[in-house]
Amino acid sequence: MNSLYNHALKQSVSLQRDLEKFATGQDSSAGLQGQISASFNTLQRSIDDYDNLAKREVVAVKKETALTRVTKFRRELQDMKTQFETIKKQQENQRYEQNRDSLLARRNRSTTENPYFPMEESRSEFAMREAAFANNTDAQLDSFIDQAQNLLENLTDQHGILKKTQKKLLDAANTLGLSKNVIRYIERRTAQDKWIFIVGLAITLLILWAIAHYLG
C-alpha cells in the first residue's frame, strides 16, 4: 500500500509543477493544458485505487492513516482543478481584453485619419467578432485534444492491466495444474485483447493527427 501512496504522491507533485508553469505563463500551450487534464484523470484513478486498498486494510491504525491520506489527496486534487480552470478563464479574458484594446486603438486612429470612419468602425466590430470566434475555436480545439489524450491514456492503462491479468491467470493455471488447452485459451484471448488495444491506439493517434493537421 505504501508503494501506491508514493506513486500517487509523485503524480501530485508533478501535477503541481505543471500548474505552476501554466500559472506563471512559463508555458501556456495547448499541449501543457492537455497534459494537465490527463494528469488529473491519472491521479484520480490512483487515489481511487489507494482508497479501495485502504478500506481493505485490517490493521486499524494503518487503515485510519491511509484514509486520512485519501481525504487529503482528494482535497488537493479538487483545489488544483479549481486553480486550473481559474487560470484558463483569466488567460482567456486577458486575450480578449488585449484584442479589444488593439481594435479600439485602431478605431481611434481612424477617427482622425479616415474620413470614412463609420465604415471603419463596422470593420472593427467585425474584427472583434472574428477574434471572439477564434478564441472559442481554440477552446473547442483544446477540448478535442484533451479528450483524445485521455482516451489514449485510458487505452494504455487498460493494456497494462491486461498484461498483469494475463500473468496472474497463467500463474494460477500453472499452480492449479490446469490443462494446456486452458492456458492456450488464456493466451489466445490475451492476444485478441492486445490487437484491440493496438487498433484503438492507432485510431486515437489518427484523430490527434487530424486535429493538429486540419484544425491546428
Side-chain angles (χ1 to χ4, degrees):
M1 188 163 61
N2 286 334
S3 61
L4 193 56
Y5 166 73
N6 291 331
H7 181 63
L9 184 61
K10 289 180 181 179
Q11 289 177 330
S12 179
V13 172
S14 177
L15 184 53
Q16 289 173 349
R17 284 199 298 264
D18 289 340
L19 274 175
E20 184 177 354
K21 290 180 182 178
F22 185 55
T24 58
Q26 182 178 351
D27 186 353
S28 57
S29 64
L32 179 63
Q33 295 181 47
Q35 178 179 322
I36 291 174
S37 297
S39 297
F40 282 144
N41 294 330
T42 303
L43 179 56
Q44 181 66 64
R45 286 194 294 271
S46 297
I47 294 173
D48 292 339
D49 291 342
Y50 185 60
D51 188 16
N52 293 331
L53 192 61
K55 291 176 180 177
R56 296 196 299 267
E57 176 61 53
V58 295
V59 180
V61 176
K62 291 183 178 180
K63 182 175 183 179
E64 182 180 357
T65 300
L67 291 177
T68 301
R69 289 172 173 175
V70 169
T71 301
K72 185 173 182 292
F73 271 137
R74 294 194 188 282
R75 183 175 62 251
E76 291 177 347
L77 177 60
Q78 185 58 47
D79 290 343
M80 286 189 288
K81 287 182 177 180
T82 301
Q83 180 186 5
F84 181 55
E85 293 301 325
T86 300
I87 296 171
K88 285 177 62 177
K89 189 65 176 178
Q90 290 175 346
Q91 292 187 356
E92 289 175 1
N93 292 337
Q94 184 177 5
R95 286 195 296 270
Y96 176 78
E97 292 294 334
Q98 289 174 346
N99 291 334
R100 188 184 67 175
D101 292 343
S102 176
L103 291 171
L104 288 175
R106 281 185 292 182
R107 187 179 68 177
N108 290 335
R109 287 196 301 270
S110 299
T111 304
T112 56
E113 298 175 1
N114 193 345
Y116 302 102
F117 171 68
M119 180 180 298
E120 184 67 24
E121 182 179 17
S122 177
R123 291 176 180 176
S124 298
E125 291 175 352
F126 173 77
M128 289 184 66
R129 290 194 299 270
E130 188 177 46
F133 174 77
N135 288 335
N136 293 333
T137 302
D138 289 341
Q140 292 178 354
L141 179 59
D142 292 343
S143 177
F144 290 149
I145 293 174
D146 291 346
Q147 294 175 11
Q149 288 178 330
N150 291 338
L151 178 59
L152 177 61
E153 184 177 355
N154 289 334
L155 288 171
T156 304
D157 291 343
Q158 291 174 12
H159 180 58
I161 293 173
L162 289 173
K163 290 180 65 177
K164 292 179 182 178
T165 303
Q166 179 198 20
K167 185 177 183 303
K168 291 180 180 179
L169 289 173
L170 292 176
D171 291 342
N174 290 324
T175 301
L176 297 174
L178 298 179
S179 65
K180 292 183 178 180
N181 289 334
V182 175
I183 296 177
R184 280 198 295 269
Y185 171 77
I186 294 174
E187 292 176 340
R188 186 167 59 252
R189 181 58 185 270
T190 304
Q192 293 174 354
D193 292 336
K194 181 179 180 181
W195 279 110
I196 293 174
F197 164 76
I198 292 175
V199 171
L201 180 62
I203 293 174
T204 303
L205 292 176
L206 181 62
I207 292 174
L208 285 173
W209 176 85
I211 292 174
H213 183 74
Y214 293 105
L215 300 179

